[in-house]
Amino acid sequence: MTLNIGVIGVGMIGQDHIRRITQVVSGARVTAVTDVDLDRAKAIAAGLPSAKALQTGQELIDDPEVDAAIVCSWGPTHEEYVLASIAAGKQVFCEKPLATTREACERILDAETAAGKRLVMVGFMRRYDEGYRAMKAVIDGGEIGAPLMFHSGHRNPSVPGHYTSDMIINDTCVHDVDVARFLLDDEIVAARVLTARKNSLASEHLTDPVLFIFEMAGGALVDVEASINIQYAYDIRGEVVGERGTVELAETNPVVVKGSGRFGGRVPEDWRERFIRAYDTEFQEWIDAASRGESTGPSSWDGYAATVVCDAGLKAMQSGERVEISLGEQPELYRTTTITGPTGTD
Ligand code: NAD
Ligand code: ISE
């Protein structure tokens, strides 16, 4: 079966996912696209063999030639399209964040639990990265003992002009929040944020860099160093310190180059390059599951948890205080597939 996909929002990542569906992964094709910038949607559709440009996201979700939707529009618009997909009974892949407020995420949890089956997957692609998967296998295998600390480094060379001061937490660190829950298989119960001396290369309105610190329910500590104007490259780091050993992400280069009295390798330019294989795996797993009418991967609960932690992070950044986090009771629907399982289906 070929899964017919409709794409809502055809900006940077929407176009990258269309390339992936069309040229890299198997079992799917793009049959419809939409964007508030309709000319952009028309231009993208014109370059595809079987896609039409539609006026709105709702029209796309209702279209009989769309089996499943991908939401790649701006964060505050995600809730509307995820809810519409659930109402239509269609599988939906939503780029992070699931939604930008706790209340919006709760409305999605309520709609999905009322539907009685998982329909939503959230685009936390780090769970599909070979490095993070290998780290998790080491932790789960017990070799380093119980994990005590996780140091995460998230360095962006620059950010787009529309990036606001809150986004260092809810657009950038949201990935570290999810990967901490994934690696440590635990929920976050408190957060604080320290701001360092400001990078003079950052725009006036941005806070950069920050140290976002979480306490896990089981007592482990996580520190995330986030930089958004570090110029030199897109550099993602991670190290888990256990009771009797450590595990860390290796550099991603297949070769080391020596010359002119130095040795070195390439550091990725941006997230597209660093996580290219992770996005491919993420999409193949989603397409395979959606074609069977099933869900897989990071759930609405994972999206909700990440948004609630980021809300707390924003409060902590503004107040300078430690902020406690309570997620409330996890609905039964999500109990089998949260945190640990990017590959489990239900
Ligand atoms: P972008 O600005 O390049 O593209 C967004 C597109 O959505 C634009 O073309 C815009 O016109 C369109 N749009 C906005 N509101 C819309 C609406 N209501 N209906 C239809 N189209 C609408 O942004 P981007 O970098 O592609 O990011 C898009 C989403 O993907 C964001 O949620 C972002 O956080 C996420 N993202 C995820 C990753 C990742 O690593 N997983 C990387 C980049 C972006
Ligand atoms: C971007 O939206 C992403 O999701 C990238 O993965 C992240 O590294 C970057 O900071 C975000 O702006």
Side-chain angles (χ1 to χ4, degrees):
M1 170 198 169
T2 300
L3 187 74
N4 290 330
I5 295 178
V7 181
I8 301 173
V10 288
M12 235 184 333
I13 204 161
Q15 290 179 37
D16 199 41
H17 288 333
I18 289 172
R19 175 195 60 76
R20 177 163 289 113
I21 294 162
T22 312
Q23 298 172 21
V24 185
V25 299
S26 60
R29 64 178 174 171
V30 176
T31 50
V33 298
T34 188
D35 198 292
V36 278
D37 181 346
L38 196 57
D39 288 340
R40 179 179 282 177
K42 284 181 181 161
I44 298 297
L48 293 168
S50 52
K52 56 193 169 196
L54 297 175
Q55 300 270 346
T56 65
Q58 185 68 55
E59 202 185 323
L60 177 143
I61 290 161
D62 292 340
D63 194 288
E65 285 177 6
V66 169
D67 302 323
I70 297 183
V71 180
C72 298
S73 48
W74 295 320
T77 70
H78 292 183
E79 177 193 6
E80 177 189 349
Y81 300 131
V82 172
L83 286 175
S85 302
I86 295 171
K90 295 187 180 180
Q91 294 286 335
V92 54
F93 173 95
C94 180
E95 260 308 336
K96 44 65 60 171
L98 173 63
T100 45
T101 65
R102 177 182 195 130
E103 293 70 26
C105 291
E106 284 172 347
R107 286 190 284 274
I108 292 171
L109 292 176
D110 289 347
E112 203 179 28
T113 47
K117 70 180 284 208
R118 275 196 54 196
L119 290 160
V120 183
M121 169 164 158
V122 184
F124 287 127
M125 77 299 181
R126 290 187 179 194
R127 295 181 182 221
Y128 298 87
D129 177 66
E130 283 178 8
Y132 282 117
R133 283 186 164 186
M135 268 177 98
K136 182 159 180 62
V138 169
I139 298 164
D140 291 351
E143 189 182 339
I144 65 168
L148 307 176
M149 280 188 267
F150 171 37
H151 306 297
S152 192
H154 192 157
R155 300 180 185 160
N156 290 246
S158 61
V159 285
H162 68 262
Y163 199 95
T164 60
S165 58
D166 289 354
M167 287 171 79
I168 193 162
I169 300 292
N170 61 21
D171 186 69
T172 294
C173 291
V174 67
H175 285 291
D176 306 87
V177 169
D178 183 66
V179 90
R181 295 179 63 251
F182 170 64
L183 289 175
L184 303 179
D185 198 9
D186 202 4
E187 296 294 1
I188 297 167
V189 294
R192 65 189 94 195
V193 175
L194 302 175
T195 53
R197 170 181 163 161
K198 185 180 160 97
N199 184 338
S200 63
L201 302 169
S203 304
E204 190 65 29
H205 67 288
L206 295 179
T207 303
D208 175 27
V210 302
L211 205 52
F212 189 3
I213 300 163
F214 331 135
E215 295 167 34
M216 307 302 295
L221 287 181
V222 178
D223 60 275
V224 181
E225 174 235 292
S227 297
I228 49 174
N229 289 279
I230 205 152
Q231 313 288 310
Y232 73 93
Y234 183 77
D235 197 5
I236 300 300
R237 298 174 175 224
E239 180 185 28
V240 170
V241 179
E243 289 172 311
R244 55 174 175 270
T246 68
V247 57
E248 65 191 289
L249 291 176
E251 296 297 342
T252 49
N253 281 255
V255 291
V256 171
V257 180
K258 295 182 183 173
S260 310
R262 298 162 70 85
F263 74 89
R266 190 176 157 70
V267 194
E269 197 173 310
D270 63 15
W271 38 267
R272 278 173 294 207
E273 181 183 347
R274 169 62 182 82
F275 287 110
I276 188 165
R277 298 232 300 276
Y279 293 118
D280 293 347
T281 308
E282 170 188 66
F283 263 78
Q284 192 63 69
E285 291 194 14
W286 178 68
I287 288 165
D288 292 348
S291 300
R292 296 190 302 268
E294 293 172 354
S295 255
T296 185
S299 66
S300 298
W301 177 264
D302 297 311
Y304 160 78
T307 294
V308 171
V309 172
C310 289
D311 279 358
L314 288 175
K315 282 194 193 116
M317 187 160 78
Q318 278 147 18
S319 66
E321 304 289 327
R322 172 179 179 275
V323 175
E324 292 195 0
I325 296 164
S326 168
L327 294 178
E329 199 184 335
Q330 188 182 45
E332 176 68 33
L333 183 63
Y334 305 109
R335 286 199 197 136
T336 49
T337 51
T338 48
I339 306 185
T340 45
T343 52
T345 56
D346 60 11

